[in-house]
Amino acid sequence: NAGVMQNPRHLVRRRGQEARLRCSPMKGHSHVYWYRQLPEEGLKFMVYLQKENIIDESGMPKERFSAEFPKEGPSILRIQQVVRGDSAAYFCASSVLSGASYEQYFGPGTRLTVT
Amino acid sequence: GIQVEQSPPDLILQEGANSTLRCNFSDSVNNLQWFHQNPWGQLINLFYIPSGTKQNGRLSATTVATERYSLLYISSSQTTDSGVYFCAVDRGSTLGRLYFGRGTQLTVWP
């Protein structure tokens, strides 16, 4: 059973460009979460999605960031007009609802560098 | 949001030593997970342990939910145990959103 997959693993963008990060959840998982790891802030929740629905986006910056999880295909985290402060590791996690359990499994992350 | 505090922030051990990592949280939780972030940056699931005790090889964990803390025990440490250990909790009412502690940086010397 393949784990959570993310691509690309490393992404370099110039300031002002767009970054698209992809996440394929584990087979059978219908819940996807995105987290960001900044050196001075630790791991922070960004957004929680189910297929075609954003459930909780309270951790997303108000501008330039968006996320989707379409009916078909991977979840996408999109960052428009990137700035140096967006440089970070972005992790995707997935889970399956089992009773009250939301145990999350993480992908290897995408390391975004903005030059 | 919920506060998650981990201690110690840094731990240096010689191979073969035992250690205990602690995670305190400020509110009742639905779920609690321990992760190991290896030197390559990958987050590895260690335990899903909202309450009780679990063991997996040289690692074990105990969560006392009523007292709002969890402990991770590492016995006979090895150099491959090096990395950052994170505790993360889910308050249940936040639909699975995990709140992470700042982690314990473990370095094991041969």
Side-chain angles (χ1 to χ4, degrees):
Chain A
N1 188 12
V4 178
M5 300 179 69
Q6 290 187 249
N7 66 80
R9 295 290 303 276
H10 299 274
L11 182 62
V12 179
R13 285 287 178 265
R14 290 199 178 100
R15 278 179 298 171
Q17 290 185 319
E18 179 179 286
R20 280 185 179 240
L21 288 61
R22 294 174 183 76
C23 168
S24 296
M26 286 179 70
K27 188 176 180 180
H29 285 196
S30 57
H31 303 251
V32 166
Y33 310 81
W34 286 93
Y35 295 84
R36 178 165 65 173
Q37 187 173 30
L38 290 161
E40 301 303 320
E41 295 186 14
L43 276 150
K44 300 288 188 187
F45 166 83
M46 298 181 76
V47 63
Y48 164 33
L49 309 108
Q50 294 180 20
K51 287 282 187 183
E52 300 185 281
N53 281 306
I54 298 174
I55 307 302
D56 179 0
E57 57 181 345
S58 59
M60 288 276 270
K62 293 288 185 280
E63 297 176 350
R64 302 186 297 108
F65 285 72
S66 63
E68 62 176 3
F69 188 16
K71 188 176 179 181
E72 301 291 338
S75 175
I76 306 286
L77 179 67
R78 182 183 178 205
I79 312 172
Q80 295 178 288
Q81 299 176 322
V82 296
V83 301
R84 288 219 172 107
D86 297 332
S87 295
Y90 291 82
F91 289 93
C92 167
S94 73
S95 72
V96 59
L97 175 58
S98 174
S101 166
Y102 284 89
E103 183 175 7
Q104 294 181 27
Y105 296 84
F106 281 72
T110 294
R111 275 133 190 95
L112 172 65
T113 302
V114 179
T115 61
Chain B
I2 191 168
Q3 305 302 313
V4 182
E5 294 184 0
Q6 292 188 243
S7 60
D10 298 280
L11 189 56
I12 300 173
L13 301 173
Q14 198 138 30
E15 231 175 1
N18 302 329
S19 60
T20 301
L21 283 58
R22 187 176 180 103
C23 171
N24 293 332
F25 41 95
S26 62
D27 203 349
S28 56
V29 299
N30 207 39
N31 299 331
L32 186 145
Q33 293 186 241
W34 282 97
F35 298 91
H36 175 215
Q37 187 167 38
N38 64 24
W40 295 270
Q42 291 189 290
L43 282 162
I44 311 297
N45 284 44
L46 296 178
F47 293 102
Y48 167 72
I49 186 167
S51 64
T53 297
K54 289 186 178 180
Q55 179 151 10
N56 184 4
R58 296 181 295 104
L59 273 60
S60 63
T62 295
T63 297
V64 183
T66 53
E67 297 187 22
R68 300 182 184 169
Y69 73 89
S70 184
L71 302 173
L72 178 68
Y73 306 96
I74 304 174
S75 64
S76 304
S77 56
Q78 300 175 358
T79 56
T80 51
D81 295 332
S82 295
V84 183
Y85 289 79
F86 288 104
C87 167
V89 301
D90 158 19
R91 209 164 48 175
S93 61
T94 49
L95 297 176
R97 165 184 185 163
L98 286 176
Y99 293 85
F100 281 80
R102 297 302 299 269
T104 292
Q105 173 77 57
L106 174 64
T107 304
V108 181
W109 294 99

